[in-house]
Amino acid sequence: MPGFELFGNAERESVNDVLDNGVLMRYGFDGMRNGHWKAKELEVELQNTFQTNHVQLVSSGTAAVSVALASAGVGAGDEVIMPTFTFVASFEAIMMLGAIPILVDIDSTLTLDPKAVEAAITPKTKAVMVVQMCGSMGDMNALKSICDNHNLIFVEDACQAIGGTYDGKPLGSIADVGCFSFDFVKTITCGEGGAVISNNKDYYINADHYSDHGHDHIGNDRGAETHPFLGYNFRISELHAAVGLAQVKRLPEFLVIQKKNFDIIRNELASIPEVEFRTVPDGGVESCAFLNFFLPDLDTVRKVSKAFKTNGVDACFHYYDNNWHYIRKWDHLKKLKSLFPITKEVKEGLQYLEGKTFTQSDAYIARNISCLIKLSWTEEQVVERAKVMRDCINEVLNS
Ligand SMILES: *Cc1c(COP(=O)(O)O)cnc(C)c1O
């Protein structure tokens, strides 16, 4: 997945454009910048890439989720339904607004189970956020109609799904508002950066102002701008945008490499009857940033993970035993370990997590292995890797 693997001249030249005139900020300084507006240019590129009317760049993917929710009016005491298999950033971004993440079970797609979403809706529910972990997508039509029926805001955390599509539409562009990360390990990178995308002009204007202290961005005198509402600073810098601008132009090339490497490994593992691939809903086309598959049980997965490690197969993850991506290990969230006092709404709102178990999610995550597909592998290396993986799995299954 990572764009950083293929960092080169295009990125360097783009950054040098910015360094040549020294305007590192995305707004203002019109006279000094010699026509370089990297953040603005990248926003236009991303509109095309994600086939969406409006794009607001921000400083990170985490910021993108907070800004997206804030722009849609989600705040203190509002409940946001999201999956148990996610990244810590997704619930952090919700809690930053004083809203409450309501974690619910995943299904074999590795993201939101529509039945679990429906069951979690309360009068406080304001939004449903599907997190497209490892490029997974849920039944987007079902999730969308639940949101429509209950008048909820539908959000996509598409940070790990750059380049995937559903019914011909880019992931991230399907819900009311979509969020992307361009941190150092994402499919394309800015170093640090993120984007909020939407076809809703009001959300976009809100995101544009909110991410820059509430500035209205009218005219070309920053000091004279007014603040229609309170904001914050989630701006991206021109240097980061410059890297992203070079990277986004290479995205089609990255996706071709990803698919080629993915197919080689998938085809090899498909020869093993016990290997079951993650469900991709009808109409879904994966970005191929990760290959996800299930094995018969937890014990088998633990043994296979170990065999992968001993045999040099890196970048494969068993999230059941991992601290980053699954609820099971998140005591800091369950016990609300915070540096500062947390609002009463969030404290009370998160009490449901105490002693809560997610048996359905556990059953999927325990059996899942998720392998990063790298861009820098040679074909020879991928073919060899696929064979080693196949042999490791067969050996454990037959032992
Ligand atoms: C990377 C990621 C984020 C956060 O992005 P940052 O740019 O690192 O803040 C949020 N959600 C998911 C699913 C991610 O993978």
Side-chain angles (χ1 to χ4, degrees):
M1 159 162 98
F4 74 76
E5 294 177 273
L6 298 180
F7 189 94
N9 276 339
E11 287 77 5
R12 204 168 290 115
E13 277 169 24
S14 185
V15 171
N16 280 338
D17 285 344
V18 178
L19 293 177
D20 283 346
N21 61 51
V23 180
L24 310 185
M25 185 171 175
R26 69 159 299 177
Y27 297 115
F29 302 93
D30 300 22
M32 287 167 64
R33 54 197 320 142
N34 293 331
H36 290 304
W37 297 91
K38 298 296 185 187
K40 281 193 182 159
E41 272 183 63
L42 177 52
E43 284 168 349
V44 172
E45 282 292 332
L46 292 171
Q47 282 168 17
N48 296 329
T49 301
F50 298 129
Q51 295 165 36
T52 298
N53 292 344
H54 308 289
V55 174
Q56 178 64 43
L57 282 171
V58 290
S59 51
S60 71
T62 314
V65 177
S66 288
V67 170
L69 292 170
S71 300
V74 176
D78 291 334
E79 294 181 352
V80 180
I81 296 173
M82 58 172 283
T84 52
F85 178 45
T86 179
F87 178 38
V88 288
S90 312
F91 65 74
E92 289 166 358
I94 293 170
M95 289 167 70
M96 208 207 68
L97 301 169
I100 304 154
I102 302 293
L103 281 76
V104 307
D105 272 325
I106 57 164
D107 59 21
S108 63
T109 64
L110 288 182
T111 189
L112 290 175
D113 175 356
K115 288 193 293 299
V117 171
E118 192 105 52
I121 294 172
T122 75
K124 287 186 182 165
T125 309
K126 190 85 174 262
V128 172
M129 182 162 81
V130 62
V131 182
Q132 289 148 340
M133 282 295 293
C134 314
S136 63
M137 56 202 107
D139 183 338
M140 297 294 288
N141 283 334
L143 294 170
K144 192 170 178 337
S145 54
I146 292 172
C147 291
D148 289 346
N149 291 341
H150 294 268
N151 207 11
L152 304 173
I153 299 151
F154 188 23
V155 184
E156 286 172 274
D157 176 343
C159 291
Q160 293 195 13
I162 300 171
T165 62
Y166 181 85
D167 280 352
K169 289 189 195 142
L171 293 181
S173 75
I174 295 156
D176 298 309
V177 58
C179 310
F180 287 97
S181 164
F182 309 120
D183 77 19
F184 198 49
V185 297
K186 299 306 200 281
T187 304
I188 51 173
T189 186
C190 291
E192 298 284 0
V196 177
I197 75 169
S198 184
N199 286 320
N200 181 319
K201 194 167 181 195
D202 292 336
Y203 290 178
Y204 162 67
I205 290 172
N206 289 346
D208 167 89
H209 295 13
Y210 182 70
S211 60
D212 184 27
H213 306 296
H215 269 272
D216 65 14
H217 297 147
I218 292 172
N220 56 7
D221 177 1
R222 237 177 117 70
E225 289 178 14
T226 65
H227 306 91
F229 47 77
L230 294 166
Y232 232 91
N233 176 8
F234 293 113
R235 289 190 307 261
I236 193 165
S237 82
E238 280 291 274
L239 287 170
H240 292 93
V243 176
L245 188 58
Q247 287 255 307
V248 74
K249 291 176 181 160
R250 303 174 71 185
L251 180 61
E253 171 201 343
F254 290 179
L255 293 173
V256 169
I257 301 172
Q258 250 171 215
K259 176 157 173 45
K260 191 171 126 242
N261 294 348
F262 175 99
D263 283 346
I264 292 171
I265 301 178
R266 193 186 194 281
N267 290 341
E268 192 67 55
L269 300 194
S271 68
I272 308 172
E274 289 88 347
V275 168
E276 202 185 307
F277 295 100
R278 168 182 68 194
T279 302
V280 178
D282 285 345
V285 178
E286 295 188 82
S287 66
C288 301
F290 288 85
L291 176 69
N292 283 274
F293 56 92
F294 302 105
L295 290 168
D297 53 57
L298 177 59
D299 187 48
T300 306
V301 172
R302 282 191 169 138
K303 285 180 181 152
V304 167
S305 288
K306 205 168 155 205
F308 279 178
K309 284 198 181 91
T310 354
N311 289 282
V313 177
D314 62 347
C316 285
F317 310 101
H318 181 211
Y319 289 122
Y320 192 75
D321 292 333
N322 176 295
N323 291 326
W324 283 83
H325 291 297
Y326 186 55
I327 178 88
R328 207 169 78 90
K329 297 268 188 172
W330 291 336
D331 279 342
H332 71 310
L333 172 66
K334 295 177 203 165
K335 299 200 170 119
L336 275 180
K337 290 189 183 163
S338 172
L339 288 177
F340 50 83
I342 286 186
T343 65
K344 189 168 148 278
E345 285 96 338
V346 175
K347 237 187 220 164
E348 289 174 5
L350 281 175
Q351 272 171 8
Y352 77 97
L353 279 178
E354 235 187 271
K356 170 115 181 140
T357 49
F358 293 93
T359 29
Q360 182 177 317
S361 302
D362 277 354
Y364 288 110
I365 295 296
R367 293 172 47 232
N368 178 256
I369 293 184
S370 183
C371 295
L372 185 64
I373 301 296
K374 287 202 179 165
L375 300 168
S376 54
W377 293 330
T378 64
E379 184 165 338
E380 219 178 0
Q381 285 171 326
V382 187
V383 170
E384 176 59 22
R385 183 184 182 85
K387 286 195 182 121
V388 174
M389 288 171 74
R390 179 203 62 196
D391 292 347
C392 288
I393 296 170
N394 276 329
E395 206 158 298
V396 170
L397 288 171
N398 298 328
S399 66

